[in-house]
């Protein structure tokens, strides 16, 4: 299993499940901050059409290209299904945001051999590691 820092360093495309239109929510601020530092953000939300200048997909299965990381802004009960979807699309890593913990989701990820991070914030980890994708 790769470390959180290595997952971020290796990722270029991040699908954000639960991306929000509300600029006051972490599910909006975090992906936007990652985008500003050079990651391509693919929002997944069943009720929006465009976020962060990108088309919004209704589910992970609707994304027409590979993603390097699935970032989850959904309650822990929903994380199990999201991890199953991530496995199905062949995502190499899943990241549950700060405050989201799911032993069942972790088990599914581990059994599928994909990297898994939970209860950690992308932008905090990015800043701590000094990572950027901008040249």
């Amino acid at each position: 299993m790769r470390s959180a820092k290595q997952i971020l360093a290796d990722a270029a495309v991040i699908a954000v499940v639960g991306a929000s239109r509300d600029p006051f929510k972490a599910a909006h601020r975090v992906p936007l901050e990652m985008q500003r530092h050079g990651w391509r953000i693919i929002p997944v939300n069943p009720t929006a059409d465009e976020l962060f200048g990108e088309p919004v997909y209704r589910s992970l299965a609707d994304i027409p290209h590979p993603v390097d990381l699935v970032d989850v802004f959904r309650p822990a009960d929903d994380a199990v299904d999201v991890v199953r979807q991530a496995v199905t699309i062949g995502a190499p890593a899943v990241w549950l945001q700060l405050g989201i913990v799911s032993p069942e989701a972790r088990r599914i990820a581990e059994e599928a051999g994909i990297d898994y991070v939970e209860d950690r914030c992308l932008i905090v980890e990015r800043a701590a590691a000094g990572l950027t994708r901008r040249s």
Side-chain angles (χ1 to χ4, degrees):
M1 296 293 262
R2 295 177 293 167
S3 68
K5 178 181 176 180
Q6 192 61 52
I7 291 168
L8 286 178
D10 292 346
V13 179
I14 302 172
V16 180
V17 178
S20 176
R21 291 179 286 212
D22 184 342
F24 296 104
K25 289 187 172 183
H28 183 91
R29 291 189 320 269
V30 170
L32 187 60
E33 180 71 11
M34 294 301 289
Q35 186 182 58
R36 287 180 180 149
H37 282 276
W39 280 266
R40 180 169 181 209
I41 299 299
I42 307 299
V44 177
N45 179 317
T47 64
D49 294 320
E50 182 179 300
L51 286 169
F52 322 115
E54 294 278 351
V56 177
Y57 295 93
R58 301 295 175 247
S59 72
L60 290 173
D62 293 333
I63 301 172
H65 50 77
V67 299
D68 303 312
L69 174 60
V70 174
D71 182 34
V72 182
F73 278 98
R74 299 292 305 143
D77 289 346
D78 295 350
V80 172
D81 187 50
V82 174
V83 172
R84 285 187 181 118
Q85 291 175 41
V87 170
T88 299
I89 67 164
V94 175
W95 189 298
L96 277 55
Q97 280 295 136
L98 195 62
I100 307 169
V101 175
S102 173
E104 178 69 6
R106 175 181 289 280
R107 184 191 62 74
I108 293 165
E110 288 174 351
E111 286 178 1
I114 66 174
D115 293 316
Y116 181 88
V117 175
E118 65 183 10
D119 195 24
R120 292 169 82 175
C121 180
L122 283 179
I123 60 174
V124 170
E125 297 298 323
R126 184 216 60 76
L131 296 172
T132 187
R133 295 201 63 82
R134 296 247 182 252
S135 43

